[in-house]
């Protein structure tokens, strides 16, 4: 398959590397000059668990796309706030048959993609794979992961399964589901609690979880997600979601970690994706007439912190 | 007048000093051993603007009260969470004619006092006087202030005016009002926004105020205070209260300051009074069937921070 990775950061690089190793024709698309230069000069370096590999994979900016480069599949791995621009920029690499797969964290990305791409070509999902950047041209990751994905357009189940098969052949452990929105909402609940709360409170997940108020705060936020989801005919069981989130407190696994939003904002002074997590719930809540005050307030507090930190 | 100051910290010491200088028979009551010892050995030191004065004023613990010490007036200046215990402890210093004046920040203190004291003897208000402790036995303060006070019991207006006159004679600039609850709520709005928000966000008031979200957050919180106040027949004008709060952002006056709650929790690792400010609105909201999600969430976040900082 000819596959473009639109947004070849930490996780995009990991996906690109694995799909390339499995024999696909992969092209990376990114805007970060140092990263592009490093990959062009030294290849893409990929550290998986303890071993480091190198692969020669072409990388271009969206502006460098030529009309003879159309691909079968685009996988988008931008930051949420870059998605809209990226979809517009990579149009030349897509033809009427090019599928696009979005595995970004957060809610409502399909609405952005659908502004530019026919629904029959849109596939959405989420992934438990993780990765981080060592530096330009070098991504690293630990452990394993999985992918759930589904077609957005009607009758495209077979195409969705074909994409899942291609990913699984590359070791990415993908599966087709007919209920991907529930898994997207479930993952958004994790991000919609741990990310914002640990960022505002400046703590790791376990330390937050060990406070007397954690359970009630998390439950209140999840109830807002569930109330919005219900308006989209997505059933989100509050107790199950809360129990799933509370696994993050385990110091034996990931409890000692600060969530990615804390790393983005507090450590690296970057904008957060809050508008695509709690902020998305606030917007949808307004649309459906559902009160979402905890999501509203948490979104505002993170934006205040952005205002201060990025000043 | 024979006056006891129950809780002779920074502000209690200032009141005690001024009332003593005006010729009243003042006794200080406190539980802090180092403070008591310093005042007994060296007198109460009081720095007002640039000058430092010393006054010999008796100071005792509540346990040292003897039955021949009953006073005309008790002014309570404890931390909010110590009020209940202090009222119980100082009962021996009160007889049926002893009045009690509460000028504490926050909402609902009269309900605690009324558990032990007849409403006719209870007077409530608020003050713009401030002070801080230099160390044991030494309080300092800048600038001037004022006091609003009112009787809680029916028909006690004359008694309230008598207390106001006594305070004003000592230079404390007190006035009787027939609408003290409105001024208490207004001051509580300042504390209910600046204190909790600047503590959670770890910023001074001006820095918070300069963010894009400040106005909307403050307005939402004030609306919750106003909705609760309305159930107590207290009219709180939201626009006026917000404008009053936003004066705190002025760097020419107090904008560069961190509110007292930030000093308590972040700097000095002490419990906050959040339960008597936003927490009081949450409890009253629940009682009246008024939703107060911003106050609920802010109270919870401050308690999480207490859990973490005081661990």
């Amino acid at each position: 398959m000819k596959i473009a990775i639109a947004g070849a950061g930490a996780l995009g690089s990991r996906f690109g590397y694995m799909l390339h190793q499995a024999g696909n024709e992969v092209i990376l698309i990114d805007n970060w000059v140092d990263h592009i230069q490093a990959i062009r000069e030294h290849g893409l370096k990929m550290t998986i668990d303890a071993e480091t590999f190198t692969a020669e994979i072409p990388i271009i900016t969206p502006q460098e796309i030529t009309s003879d480069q159309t691909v079968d599949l685009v996988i988008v791995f931008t930051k949420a706030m870059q998605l809209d621009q990226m979809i517009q920029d990579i149009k030349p690499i897509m033809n009427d048959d090019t599928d696009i797969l979005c595995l970004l964290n957060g809610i409502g990305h399909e609405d952005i993609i659908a502004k530019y791409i026919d629904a029959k070509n849109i596939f959405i999902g989420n992934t438990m794979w993780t990765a981080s950047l060592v530096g330009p041209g070098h991504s690293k990751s630990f452990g394993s992961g999985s992918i759930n994905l589904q077609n957005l357009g009607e009758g495209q189940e077979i195409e969705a399964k074909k994409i899942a098969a291609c990913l699984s052949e590359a070791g990415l452990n993908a599966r087709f589901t007919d209920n991907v929105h529930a898994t997207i909402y479930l993952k958004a609940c994790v991000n919609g609690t741990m990310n914002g709360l640990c960022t505002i409170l400046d703590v790791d997940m376990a330390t937050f979880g060990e406070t007397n108020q954690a359970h009630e705060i998390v439950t209140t936020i999840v109830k807002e997600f569930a109330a919005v989801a219900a308006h989209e005919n997505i059933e989100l069981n509050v107790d199950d979601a809360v129990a799933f989130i509370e696994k993050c407190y385990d110091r034996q696994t990931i409890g000692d970690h600060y969530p990615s939003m804390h790393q983005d904002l507090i450590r690296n002074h970057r904008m957060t994706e809050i508008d695509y997590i709690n902020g998305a719930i606030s917007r949808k809540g307004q649309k459906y007439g559902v009160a979402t005050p905890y999501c509203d307030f948490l979104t505002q507090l993170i934006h205040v912190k952005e205002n201060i930190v990025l000043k």
Side-chain angles (χ1 to χ4, degrees), chain A:
Chain A
M1 245 195 203
K2 286 182 77 172
I3 303 170
I5 306 289
L11 198 55
S13 290
R14 171 160 200 158
F15 271 60
Y17 174 80
M18 291 179 78
L19 288 162
H20 172 265
Q21 293 306 100
N24 296 285
E25 191 179 326
V26 174
I27 184 165
L28 307 176
I29 304 172
D30 209 281
N31 285 298
W32 184 19
V33 175
D34 292 350
H35 190 53
I36 293 171
Q37 199 178 330
I39 292 173
R40 283 180 181 167
E41 286 179 17
H42 309 292
L44 171 65
K45 279 197 185 144
M46 188 71 229
T47 300
I48 297 178
D49 297 326
E51 278 183 284
T52 300
F53 309 92
T54 303
E56 300 294 330
I57 307 179
I59 182 162
I60 57 173
T61 66
Q63 289 69 39
E64 291 170 333
I65 296 169
T66 55
S67 55
D68 59 346
Q69 280 175 309
T70 57
V71 296
D72 305 311
L73 174 67
V74 174
I75 310 180
V76 282
F77 270 124
T78 60
K79 287 271 173 191
M81 45 279 202
Q82 301 157 345
L83 178 64
D84 194 303
Q85 189 61 50
M86 180 63 92
I87 302 294
Q88 297 181 58
D89 289 347
I90 61 167
K91 279 287 283 183
I93 213 167
M94 304 178 75
N95 59 34
D96 288 352
D97 295 325
T98 302
D99 293 332
I100 185 162
L101 172 64
C102 175
L103 301 176
L104 266 58
N105 278 332
I107 283 182
H109 301 305
E110 61 271 26
D111 299 337
I112 291 169
I113 300 172
K115 292 195 293 180
Y116 310 105
I117 311 289
D118 196 335
K120 81 169 170 49
N121 293 117
I122 302 175
F123 299 82
I124 56 168
N126 60 10
T127 179
M128 303 303 280
W129 290 99
T130 62
S132 58
L133 272 183
V134 179
H138 190 178
S139 170
K140 72 168 176 181
S141 63
F142 292 97
S144 70
S146 59
I147 298 163
N148 291 301
L149 67 85
Q150 186 177 7
N151 48 301
L152 191 68
E154 264 180 59
Q156 288 292 83
E157 286 75 11
I158 289 170
E159 191 73 4
K161 287 172 188 173
K162 209 178 81 185
I163 294 170
C166 170
L167 294 169
S168 287
E169 275 165 32
L172 284 162
N173 195 17
R175 69 181 195 95
F176 168 81
T177 167
D178 59 3
N179 192 21
V180 81
H181 290 286
T183 67
I184 288 174
Y185 262 92
L186 184 61
K187 195 170 178 204
C189 283
V190 179
N191 290 315
T193 49
M194 294 301 98
N195 266 321
L197 293 168
C198 292
T199 301
I200 280 299
L201 293 161
D202 195 15
V203 287
D204 61 64
M205 296 188 282
T207 302
F208 169 73
E210 288 157 7
T211 65
N212 300 330
Q213 297 71 28
H215 182 75
E216 196 179 333
I217 294 174
V218 165
T219 303
T220 307
I221 293 174
V222 169
K223 280 180 180 167
E224 294 182 0
F225 275 71
V228 165
H231 277 264
E232 300 186 338
N233 296 316
I234 298 158
E235 197 190 332
L236 182 69
N237 182 295
V238 172
D239 292 341
D240 291 352
V242 170
F244 185 69
I245 292 163
E246 291 179 343
K247 284 187 189 164
C248 295
Y249 305 157
D250 184 356
R251 291 195 190 273
Q252 304 301 315
T253 56
I254 56 171
D256 286 341
H257 287 255
Y258 288 79
S260 60
M261 186 178 288
H262 185 281
Q263 294 178 36
D264 282 345
L265 184 59
I266 307 299
R267 200 172 308 169
N268 299 319
H269 293 195
R270 292 204 197 108
M271 289 279 284
T272 74
E273 298 186 320
I274 195 76
D275 279 339
Y276 305 91
I277 309 170
N278 304 85
I281 296 299
S282 293
R283 285 193 302 278
K284 284 175 182 279
Q286 209 152 22
K287 183 170 143 194
Y288 302 134
V290 173
T292 58
Y294 273 51
C295 284
D296 302 348
F297 196 8
L298 190 54
T299 302
Q300 290 169 325
L301 288 173
I302 293 291
H303 282 317
V304 168
K305 204 78 189 173
E306 287 174 344
N307 267 230
I308 294 164
V309 169
L310 305 176
K311 199 157 67 173

